[in-house]
Amino acid sequence: MKGKHVKIFITVLAVMFMASMAQAGDTIRIGWTADMPGVGATFYASQKKAIEMFIEQTNAAGGVLGKKLELVIRDSKLKPDVGATMARELILSEKCEFLIGPTSSGVALAVTKLGETNYAPYIPTLMAKKPEVIYTNLWGGGLSSFIKQAKPYGLFKKASITSLYDLDMLRATGMDMPEGLLGYSRCPFYAVNTLSMQVFVEQYHKKYNEWPSDWACMAYDGLIALTTAIKKADSAKSEDVVKVLGGLRFLSLRGPRYLRAQDHMADVGLYVGYTAKDPKYKGFLILKDVVVVPAQMVWLPVAEVKKLQP
Amino acid sequence: MGIEFYLFLLINGLSQGMVLFIVASGLSLVFGVLRVINFAHGSLYMIGAFLAFSLSTLLPAGSIFSFLLLMLLVPLAVALLGLGLEIPLFRRIYGKEHLLQLLLTYALLLILDDACRLIWGGDIRNVARPDLLAGSIKFFDMFLPTYNVFILVVGPLIAVGLWFLLYRTRAGNLIRAAVSHPEMVGALGVNVSRVMTATFMLGCWLAGLGGVLMSALANIDLGIGMEKIIECFAVVVIGGLGSIGGALLGSLILGVGVAFIQLPLSRAAIVFPYFAMALILIIRPWGLFGKPER
């Protein structure tokens, strides 16, 4: 009996192996080490939607170089070491030619340490110092809880707070978000006036019945850059594609952008504005009077990047 | 800073301590009667908080009645879950060696926490405060969240209720008798194992209630169970294992201590519970209200 089972098992394995070999020929497998838990969860959900929409659209249009895109996801658990293991697994076992993500490994490190959900014990002491402006490295869900909990203490009657006000955070805070706060955002769809963004937002809203978050737009842009590079390299092999990345020009949702030749940093800037209500968006505030700060003003100069690299 | 600021700090600290008391009293009660340190108590509290979140999405938002319904139903559900754990599992480990009890309750903690991950996922959630409790009350020139005042009312009510139950009712007499003289209570024809099951369920009920109250006080995620069980241990070590009065005192010391220690030493607030616990272990290892083991 046992021998029979082993034989069946080996046959199944062999079939699976051959199936995967056959698949490898006409698909481009994209591995994604995603930050699924905790503060990463909201980002994960919206990124996944945008990535799946991009892959669906691209495959419907015949794929890239005639090959279909395929997504393989692994959970990095917001831990850099887990992320590294998962990345290896994606490359070696899942035969992924390209890896995308994670959202923010550096921030993830800080966040897992700061995993605080109850800020109330600390708010009175903060108020006693009578701050005019609160600058915080809280972001996402943590920032949202802080604002919600601090509001009934009347903190924002006297002080203003500034941080990253991305769409996920604004949605999570809802109408508890105070008006008139100065903050910044990575890729607020409502402040980008390109035609491609309009089309994307319309399709996204139709498909998912919600507005695309900053992270959704950025994930979509990332895939635009990747597929542009694959087409330019005329190859789906990562070693060929990496050669064309430096200086690559691609048409992002935010308009034409490029990857800096020296370190492949994309020239994507920041959007700074004041929180305000908008009749078009129910249940959350957006940034108004948005000023775009181009990447060239905020990114680390190449010389300094070189200095930091080992 | 005027005296009113210190009063404000005191009230805020007390309201934080009250939620801790409700959860820690359950842990202490279970230990007092069953002599089991239930590591999974924090997970039951977390399940209460997540259940409150799930149920709140089905009820009309903003209504005080929805919230009261949560406070009624969720602790009952957690108590029933406790019943489901007590009969097949906990009942087998009463009076066994501590290592075995530790293994079982710690394993339960892992299982329940992962069950939460499977059911509710890693998202950070919270329950919206009912409109009636969402605002703030003016306190001199400061604002105190109405919800904190609400907790300040509920906490003592629970404390008085527990005291009444334990010292003024027949059920309470049985529970206390089962602590001190289990064989004698059994010889008198009382079903001791039923008393124990009921006590365990009461402990779970308290964990569930703490979870509901916390779900609207702060955000909830998969880490809150572990966080709370550690705080609860600090509370029962300070107050004395098995003593409800000790749990109350320990919770208030922690809540108020964290509030005040920040003024001179802002960074010491996080380590204060552990420091207080270590101090008590050195000078009075059986806790403020506990009795030394013979």
Side-chain angles (χ1 to χ4, degrees):
Chain A
M1 279 301 278
K2 257 195 178 151
K4 199 177 160 197
H5 278 291
V6 171
K7 262 185 211 158
I8 293 173
F9 183 65
I10 291 174
T11 318
V12 170
L13 267 187
V15 170
M16 276 166 58
F17 181 70
M18 282 189 291
S20 71
M21 290 296 283
Q23 241 179 3
D26 47 12
T27 60
I28 301 173
R29 287 168 77 84
I30 299 173
W32 180 25
T33 50
D35 303 323
M36 289 190 202
V39 288
T42 40
F43 306 124
Y44 166 71
S46 54
Q47 282 174 322
K48 184 163 183 272
K49 283 176 186 166
I51 291 170
E52 281 175 349
M53 192 170 104
F54 181 91
I55 291 180
E56 219 176 276
Q57 289 172 346
T58 310
N59 288 347
V64 183
L65 305 179
K67 293 168 195 273
K68 297 255 192 270
L69 299 180
E70 199 187 325
L71 183 67
V72 188
I73 309 176
R74 286 289 180 278
D75 186 359
S76 71
K77 298 196 176 10
L78 274 169
K79 291 176 184 155
D81 55 328
V82 178
T85 314
M86 289 304 151
R88 260 195 302 279
E89 187 186 312
L90 285 170
I91 297 166
L92 298 174
S93 326
E94 293 289 344
K95 310 270 176 246
C96 290
E97 206 55 48
F98 304 98
L99 293 186
I100 55 176
T103 316
S104 167
S105 53
V107 182
L109 255 184
V111 163
T112 40
K113 274 186 209 150
L114 285 171
E116 188 78 53
T117 48
N118 184 8
Y119 300 97
Y122 314 107
I123 291 168
T125 327
L126 176 64
M127 290 173 70
K129 303 208 163 95
K130 301 212 187 319
E132 284 172 24
V133 179
I134 301 164
Y135 175 74
T136 169
N137 60 358
L138 289 173
W139 60 295
L143 179 61
S144 169
S145 4
F146 176 78
I147 289 177
K148 277 185 176 181
Q149 287 167 31
K151 198 180 183 185
Y153 285 94
L155 180 62
F156 304 119
K157 290 186 177 141
K158 289 164 189 159
S160 110
I161 175 167
T162 181
S163 187
L164 172 62
Y165 296 155
D166 65 275
L167 193 73
D168 281 321
M169 181 270 160
L170 289 170
R171 271 194 298 226
T173 319
M175 300 318 272
D176 281 333
M177 189 73 197
E179 278 183 276
L181 294 182
L182 181 68
Y184 68 98
S185 193
R186 300 286 177 126
C187 186
F189 74 90
Y190 49 81
V192 178
N193 295 320
T194 63
L195 181 65
S196 56
M197 180 60 98
Q198 279 169 22
V199 172
F200 167 73
V201 170
E202 202 174 294
Q203 288 169 339
Y204 190 95
H205 193 269
K206 205 170 144 196
K207 190 168 162 68
Y208 299 115
N209 198 27
E210 66 173 43
W211 302 106
S213 70
D214 294 50
W215 313 96
C217 300
M218 288 191 289
Y220 197 89
D221 268 352
L223 286 179
I224 292 179
L226 176 63
T227 46
T228 308
I230 293 174
K231 280 180 207 154
K232 190 179 173 192
D234 197 24
S235 157
K237 289 212 156 41
S238 50
E239 61 264 33
D240 297 330
V241 172
V242 75
K243 283 180 203 146
V244 303
L245 281 183
L248 179 82
R249 292 183 176 278
F250 61 102
L251 193 61
S252 81
L253 296 175
R254 288 164 271 190
R257 290 287 184 274
Y258 66 88
L259 298 182
R260 190 157 64 174
Q262 295 88 342
D263 60 354
H264 301 176
M265 181 87 94
D267 75 325
V268 286
L270 288 175
Y271 298 76
V272 180
Y274 292 92
T275 54
K277 288 180 183 141
D278 188 310
K280 200 175 165 196
Y281 306 108
K282 295 258 179 309
F284 62 94
L285 277 66
I286 61 165
L287 295 180
K288 282 276 173 74
D289 304 323
V290 173
V291 175
V292 184
V293 183
Q296 289 77 3
M297 284 175 71
V298 287
W299 67 8
L300 215 54
V302 174
E304 280 184 47
V305 174
K306 287 256 160 72
K307 239 189 282 171
L308 290 171
Q309 279 169 346
Chain B
M1 271 169 289
I3 185 84
E4 67 267 18
F5 175 72
Y6 293 102
L7 207 57
F8 181 77
L9 216 54
L10 180 71
I11 293 174
N12 195 54
L14 286 176
S15 68
Q16 295 295 321
M18 278 304 167
V19 178
L20 190 54
F21 159 68
I22 290 172
V23 184
S25 63
L27 182 74
S28 204
L29 183 73
V30 166
F31 178 79
V33 178
L34 310 175
R35 298 281 136 183
V36 172
I37 299 178
N38 183 10
F39 263 90
H41 195 71
S43 310
L44 292 163
Y45 150 85
M46 175 161 75
I47 288 173
F50 276 115
L51 274 181
F53 163 76
S54 288
L55 204 55
S56 74
T57 57
L58 306 174
L59 296 170
S63 151
I64 183 76
F65 294 109
S66 300
F67 196 72
L68 292 176
L69 199 61
L70 291 183
M71 286 176 61
L72 189 72
L73 293 180
V74 171
L76 278 180
V78 177
L80 283 178
L81 175 63
L83 178 70
L85 296 174
E86 205 269 351
I87 292 176
L89 300 173
F90 280 82
R91 197 170 273 189
R92 292 165 194 275
I93 59 163
Y94 298 147
K96 297 275 167 64
E97 63 268 43
H98 288 315
L99 187 65
L100 191 73
Q101 299 181 340
L102 189 85
L103 272 176
L104 179 83
T105 60
Y106 190 71
L108 259 183
L109 174 150
L110 295 176
I111 293 169
L112 292 178
D113 281 12
D114 258 16
C116 282
R117 187 186 301 277
L118 284 176
I119 299 170
W120 287 285
D123 276 345
I124 297 175
R125 321 216 188 238
N126 73 331
V127 173
R129 293 175 190 178
D131 296 337
L132 205 60
L133 304 174
S136 34
I137 292 169
K138 202 158 164 49
F139 183 85
F140 295 97
D141 60 339
M142 289 162 289
F143 296 91
L144 194 66
T146 317
Y147 189 77
N148 291 38
V149 179
F150 170 70
I151 287 179
L152 266 182
V153 175
V154 174
L157 278 180
I158 294 294
V160 171
L162 271 180
W163 174 83
F164 188 82
L165 178 74
L166 287 177
Y167 291 92
R168 286 289 179 274
T169 64
R170 185 179 145 74
N173 286 341
L174 285 179
I175 291 176
R176 285 185 301 128
V179 176
S180 49
H181 304 96
E183 291 89 0
M184 183 54 87
V185 175
L188 287 173
V190 175
N191 188 341
V192 178
S193 103
R194 197 179 291 170
V195 173
M196 291 181 150
T197 307
T199 310
F200 188 80
M201 286 176 73
L202 180 59
C204 296
W205 185 87
L206 288 164
L209 183 65
V212 177
L213 293 175
M214 196 48 137
S215 69
L217 182 69
N219 276 13
I220 52 172
D221 65 9
L222 291 170
I224 62 166
M226 196 59 109
E227 194 182 288
K228 194 57 82 195
I229 192 69
I230 294 172
E231 287 175 10
C232 283
F233 276 133
V235 165
V236 295
V237 165
I238 292 170
L241 254 177
S243 158
I244 303 292
L248 182 60
L249 186 66
S251 308
L252 297 184
I253 288 176
L254 285 200
V256 174
V258 167
F260 277 91
I261 197 87
Q262 294 173 56
L263 290 176
L265 299 160
S266 62
R267 279 162 197 274
I270 299 170
V271 294
F272 175 75
Y274 311 106
F275 187 75
M277 181 166 71
L279 196 70
I280 288 287
L281 280 175
I282 294 168
I283 56 172
R284 199 179 155 88
W286 50 90
L288 295 175
F289 282 18
K291 293 189 192 83
E293 295 267 332
R294 273 164 296 157

